Amino acid sequence: MLKLLQIENIAVIEKADIEFSCGLNVLTGETGAGKSIVIDAISAVTGGRASREIIRTGAEAATVTAVFADVSEALAGEYGIAPDESGEVFITRRMTSDGKNACRINGAPVPVNQLRDFGAELLDIHGQNDGRKLLDEGAHLAYLDDFSGSGDALSAYREVYTALREKKGDIESLTMDEQEKERRVDALRYQIEEIERANPKPGELDELTARREMLLNASRLTESVETAFAALSGGDVEDGAIALIDKAQGELEYAARYSAGLRMLGERLNDLKYTAQDISDELRDLRAELDFAPGELNELETRLDTLKRIARKYGGEEQALEFLERGKAQLSDIEDSAGRLAKLEAEAGALTAKALELARGLSAARREHAKKLEEKVMEELAQLSMPGARFIVEFSEAAGEDGLSANGADEARFMLSANAGESPGRIGRIASGGELARIMLALKSIIGSGSEAGTMVFDEVDAGVSGIAAQRVGEKLARLARDRQVLCVTHLPQIAVMADTHFEIQKNVVGDRTYTSVESLEPEGRKREVARLSGGEHITQTTLASAAEQLEAAEKFKAAQAGR
């Protein structure tokens, strides 16, 4: 369960420490005071989406820290987390104004997606618009699958279905008319022959370009190399640098008999002689390379033109070679399309049979659990002041090829008759906002009862609900809170009186800044807040007495539920 929430610089909340308890935790306050901001902070610290806009104006960063108690070692171990000795897990998320996020679990940095997955195991958040989600009939099948626990079966089916779609895509790409096939074959053959004739090699274009540059400057290069070689090696008339160095080194070697300091100079001259000799040898080799064959430049220019044309057409030498391999493979596929097509169709047939088998299993499980879901939802709706409601799961065949879609062979929609004697109709067409809220609460109560998450969070689940219906919603939340921790933001006194712990969110303006505080209410404070929820700002002895009566009735209800 969520034990502690620390908020810093989230919207109008500069700093708040909220200690939650077991059971039903209710947050109330004036509209705009910041109740939903607390839910946004809880969502952020458990990996939900959080933009830089939630950072308090003027602050560089916002930080949310949550402490979860009683986290099982098995769950923590699954995510590589070690709870402390008390079984608590500390989560921190820091968001900066430049859009950066830093997430830590027990001090260790983790990516946001891991935080999101782990957070989903700890709590289940139901926002203000969840009831409106029922208007999307495409989501109804997902609710049924959540209830039936068909997640693994659906994943297995989707794996086969995806492979089937890919296989049919391969078949479609091979199934072309004969004229198109001939055009494609002719084009591929021409391109393959063109590249093979050119026979480009990686790096050849650069290598030949450098050789061409050398050929164009052959005369000047030859003259320079010959002059440098003669200067080092000498000729018939005069000695070169090597001979002169050798002579100087010999003189120093003789003089070193009388002056030891000259020995080192002699050794340096000896090194210089060997270096000059190496350079002379390399110049001799280069001189041999500069002995160009007649017509070589013309041949090289022709080869360069061919390589440049291929490079321009295919994007480079290496790209041309890659295209050559792809083209050969494509040509082979097309020329062998009949045999390949038969193989693909046989594979697609086997995948279709497997997909249909898995889809039938899914359908059977869905229909079996649909009856149970109908019964449970109607039981829940009866407790939420909709005793005559009928809830029906209506099935139809999927509209995809072979009667299959990504969700199997079924489409499903929820039908509702809100009052006895009325024919069921589509929920989106006949349900009011208050009825949508209660249906969603019923579904979340049923589906959530099988969830591993120890905390359920409801952000204004009372939308469109009032009177007796609101009382029933409060009673339902109280029942849920017997087995798990429940957090709820509400405007209704009928729900607030059911709280085991009641927080008031207050907004104050100090100077030119807005500050929001969160206060845990004692009995007298609860009475005044319930009176405010019932009667508005003008609190009288009568509204206080009514609030006290409501609180007393709520305590009796919870005591009866607990068997006290």
Coordinates of all heavy atoms in Angstrom, one line a residue, residues 256-293:
A256 N 87.5 11.4 -32.9 CA 87.0 10.9 -31.6 C 88.1 10.2 -30.8 O 88.0 10.0 -29.6 CB 85.8 10.0 -31.8
R257 N 89.2 9.8 -31.5 CA 90.3 9.2 -30.7 C 90.9 10.2 -29.7 O 91.5 9.9 -28.7 CB 91.4 8.7 -31.7 CG 91.0 7.7 -32.7 CD 92.1 7.4 -33.7 NE 91.7 6.5 -34.7 CZ 92.5 6.1 -35.7 NH1 93.7 6.6 -35.8 NH2 92.1 5.3 -36.7
Y258 N 90.8 11.5 -30.1 CA 91.4 12.6 -29.3 C 90.4 13.4 -28.5 O 90.8 14.1 -27.6 CB 92.3 13.5 -30.3 CG 93.2 12.7 -31.2 CD1 92.9 12.6 -32.5 CD2 94.4 12.2 -30.7 CE1 93.7 11.8 -33.3 CE2 95.2 11.4 -31.5 CZ 94.9 11.3 -32.8 OH 95.7 10.6 -33.6
S259 N 89.2 13.3 -28.9 CA 88.1 14.0 -28.2 C 86.9 13.2 -28.0 O 86.2 12.9 -29.0 CB 87.8 15.3 -28.9 OG 86.7 16.0 -28.3
A260 N 86.7 12.7 -26.8 CA 85.6 11.7 -26.6 C 84.2 12.3 -26.9 O 83.3 11.6 -27.3 CB 85.6 11.2 -25.1
G261 N 84.1 13.7 -26.8 CA 82.8 14.3 -27.0 C 82.4 14.2 -28.5 O 81.2 14.4 -28.8
L262 N 83.3 14.0 -29.4 CA 83.0 13.9 -30.8 C 82.4 12.5 -31.2 O 81.8 12.4 -32.3 CB 84.2 14.2 -31.7 CG 84.8 15.6 -31.6 CD1 86.1 15.7 -32.4 CD2 83.7 16.6 -32.1
R263 N 82.5 11.5 -30.3 CA 82.0 10.2 -30.6 C 80.5 10.2 -30.8 O 80.0 9.6 -31.8 CB 82.4 9.2 -29.5 CG 82.0 7.8 -29.8 CD 82.4 6.8 -28.8 NE 83.9 6.6 -28.8 CZ 84.7 7.1 -27.8 NH1 84.1 7.7 -26.8 NH2 86.0 7.0 -27.9
M264 N 79.8 10.9 -30.0 CA 78.3 10.9 -30.1 C 77.9 11.6 -31.4 O 76.9 11.2 -32.1 CB 77.7 11.7 -28.9 CG 76.2 11.7 -28.9 SD 75.5 12.4 -27.3 CE 76.1 11.1 -26.2
L265 N 78.6 12.7 -31.8 CA 78.3 13.4 -33.1 C 78.5 12.4 -34.2 O 77.7 12.4 -35.2 CB 79.1 14.6 -33.2 CG 78.8 15.8 -32.3 CD1 79.8 16.9 -32.5 CD2 77.4 16.3 -32.5
G266 N 79.5 11.6 -34.1 CA 79.8 10.6 -35.1 C 78.7 9.6 -35.3 O 78.3 9.2 -36.4
E267 N 78.2 9.2 -34.1 CA 77.1 8.2 -34.1 C 75.8 8.8 -34.7 O 75.1 8.1 -35.5 CB 76.8 7.7 -32.7 CG 78.0 6.9 -32.1 CD 77.7 6.6 -30.6 OE1 76.8 7.1 -30.1 OE2 78.5 5.8 -30.1
R268 N 75.6 10.1 -34.4 CA 74.4 10.7 -35.0 C 74.5 10.8 -36.5 O 73.6 10.6 -37.3 CB 74.2 12.1 -34.4 CG 73.7 12.0 -32.9 CD 73.8 13.4 -32.2 NE 72.9 14.4 -32.9 CZ 72.9 15.6 -32.6 NH1 73.7 16.1 -31.6 NH2 72.1 16.5 -33.2
L269 N 75.7 11.1 -37.0 CA 75.9 11.2 -38.4 C 75.8 9.8 -39.1 O 75.2 9.7 -40.2 CB 77.3 11.7 -38.8 CG 77.5 13.2 -38.8 CD1 79.0 13.6 -39.1 CD2 76.6 13.8 -39.9
N270 N 76.2 8.8 -38.4 CA 76.0 7.4 -38.9 C 74.5 7.1 -39.0 O 74.1 6.5 -40.1 CB 76.7 6.5 -37.9 CG 76.8 5.1 -38.6 OD1 77.3 5.0 -39.7 ND2 76.4 4.0 -37.8
D271 N 73.7 7.5 -38.0 CA 72.2 7.3 -38.1 C 71.7 8.1 -39.3 O 70.8 7.6 -40.0 CB 71.5 7.8 -36.8 CG 71.9 6.9 -35.7 OD1 72.3 5.7 -35.9 OD2 71.7 7.3 -34.5
L272 N 72.1 9.3 -39.5 CA 71.6 10.1 -40.6 C 72.0 9.5 -41.9 O 71.2 9.6 -42.9 CB 72.3 11.5 -40.5 CG 71.8 12.6 -41.5 CD1 70.3 12.8 -41.5 CD2 72.6 13.9 -41.3
K273 N 73.1 8.9 -42.0 CA 73.5 8.2 -43.3 C 72.6 7.1 -43.6 O 72.1 7.0 -44.8 CB 75.0 7.7 -43.1 CG 75.5 7.0 -44.4 CD 76.9 6.4 -44.2 CE 76.9 5.3 -43.2 NZ 78.2 4.7 -43.1
Y274 N 72.2 6.3 -42.6 CA 71.3 5.2 -42.9 C 69.9 5.7 -43.3 O 69.2 5.1 -44.1 CB 71.2 4.3 -41.7 CG 72.4 3.4 -41.5 CD1 73.2 3.4 -40.3 CD2 72.9 2.5 -42.5 CE1 74.3 2.7 -40.2 CE2 74.0 1.8 -42.4 CZ 74.7 1.8 -41.2 OH 75.8 1.0 -41.0
T275 N 69.5 6.8 -42.6 CA 68.2 7.4 -43.0 C 68.2 7.9 -44.4 O 67.2 7.6 -45.2 CB 67.8 8.5 -42.0 OG1 67.8 8.0 -40.7 CG2 66.5 9.2 -42.4
A276 N 69.2 8.6 -44.8 CA 69.3 9.1 -46.1 C 69.4 7.9 -47.2 O 68.8 8.0 -48.2 CB 70.6 10.0 -46.3
Q277 N 70.0 6.8 -46.8 CA 70.1 5.7 -47.7 C 68.7 5.1 -47.9 O 68.3 4.7 -49.0 CB 71.0 4.6 -47.1 CG 71.3 3.4 -48.0 CD 71.9 3.8 -49.3 OE1 73.0 4.4 -49.3 NE2 71.3 3.6 -50.4
D278 N 67.9 5.0 -46.8 CA 66.5 4.5 -46.9 C 65.7 5.3 -47.8 O 64.9 4.8 -48.6 CB 65.9 4.4 -45.5 CG 66.5 3.3 -44.6 OD1 67.1 2.4 -45.2 OD2 66.3 3.4 -43.4
I279 N 65.8 6.7 -47.6 CA 65.0 7.6 -48.5 C 65.4 7.4 -49.9 O 64.6 7.4 -50.9 CB 65.2 9.0 -48.0 CG1 64.6 9.2 -46.6 CG2 64.6 10.0 -49.0 CD1 64.9 10.6 -46.0
S280 N 66.7 7.2 -50.2 CA 67.2 7.1 -51.5 C 66.6 5.8 -52.2 O 66.2 5.8 -53.3 CB 68.7 7.0 -51.5 OG 69.2 6.7 -52.8
D281 N 66.6 4.7 -51.4 CA 66.0 3.4 -51.9 C 64.5 3.6 -52.3 O 64.1 3.1 -53.3 CB 66.2 2.3 -50.9 CG 67.6 2.0 -50.6 OD1 68.5 2.3 -51.5 OD2 67.9 1.3 -49.6
E282 N 63.8 4.3 -51.4 CA 62.4 4.5 -51.7 C 62.2 5.4 -52.9 O 61.3 5.2 -53.8 CB 61.7 5.2 -50.5 CG 61.5 4.2 -49.3 CD 60.7 4.8 -48.2 OE1 59.8 5.7 -48.5 OE2 61.0 4.5 -47.0
L283 N 63.0 6.4 -53.1 CA 62.9 7.2 -54.3 C 63.2 6.4 -55.6 O 62.6 6.6 -56.6 CB 63.9 8.4 -54.2 CG 63.5 9.5 -53.2 CD1 64.6 10.6 -53.1 CD2 62.2 10.2 -53.7
R284 N 64.2 5.5 -55.5 CA 64.5 4.7 -56.6 C 63.3 3.8 -57.0 O 63.0 3.7 -58.2 CB 65.7 3.8 -56.3 CG 66.2 2.9 -57.5 CD 67.3 2.0 -57.2 NE 66.9 1.0 -56.1 CZ 67.4 1.0 -54.9 NH1 68.3 1.9 -54.5 NH2 67.0 0.1 -54.0
D285 N 62.6 3.2 -56.0 CA 61.4 2.4 -56.3 C 60.3 3.3 -56.9 O 59.6 2.9 -57.8 CB 60.9 1.8 -55.0 CG 61.9 0.8 -54.4 OD1 62.7 0.3 -55.2 OD2 61.8 0.4 -53.2
L286 N 60.1 4.5 -56.3 CA 59.1 5.4 -56.8 C 59.4 5.8 -58.3 O 58.5 5.9 -59.1 CB 58.9 6.6 -55.9 CG 57.9 7.7 -56.3 CD1 56.5 7.0 -56.4 CD2 57.9 8.8 -55.4
R287 N 60.6 6.0 -58.6 CA 61.0 6.4 -59.9 C 60.6 5.3 -60.9 O 60.2 5.6 -62.0 CB 62.5 6.6 -59.9 CG 63.1 7.1 -61.3 CD 64.5 7.4 -61.2 NE 65.3 6.2 -60.9 CZ 66.6 6.1 -60.9 NH1 67.3 7.2 -61.1 NH2 67.2 5.0 -60.6
A288 N 60.7 4.0 -60.5 CA 60.3 2.9 -61.3 C 58.8 2.9 -61.6 O 58.4 2.6 -62.7 CB 60.8 1.6 -60.7
E289 N 58.0 3.3 -60.5 CA 56.6 3.4 -60.7 C 56.2 4.5 -61.7 O 55.1 4.4 -62.3 CB 55.9 3.6 -59.3 CG 56.0 2.4 -58.4 CD 55.3 2.7 -57.0 OE1 54.5 3.7 -57.0 OE2 55.6 2.0 -56.1
L290 N 57.0 5.5 -61.7 CA 56.7 6.7 -62.6 C 57.0 6.4 -64.1 O 56.8 7.3 -64.9 CB 57.4 7.9 -62.1 CG 57.0 8.4 -60.7 CD1 57.9 9.6 -60.3 CD2 55.5 8.9 -60.8
D291 N 57.4 5.2 -64.3 CA 57.7 4.8 -65.7 C 56.4 4.3 -66.3 O 56.1 3.1 -66.4 CB 58.7 3.7 -65.7 CG 59.2 3.4 -67.2 OD1 58.8 4.2 -68.1 OD2 59.8 2.3 -67.3
F292 N 55.5 5.2 -66.7 CA 54.1 4.9 -67.2 C 54.1 4.3 -68.5 O 54.9 4.7 -69.4 CB 53.2 6.2 -67.2 CG 53.2 6.9 -65.8 CD1 53.7 8.2 -65.7 CD2 52.7 6.2 -64.7 CE1 53.7 8.8 -64.5 CE2 52.6 6.9 -63.5 CZ 53.1 8.1 -63.4
A293 N 53.1 3.4 -68.7 CA 53.0 2.7 -70.0 C 52.2 3.7 -70.9 O 51.3 4.4 -70.5 CB 52.2 1.4 -69.9

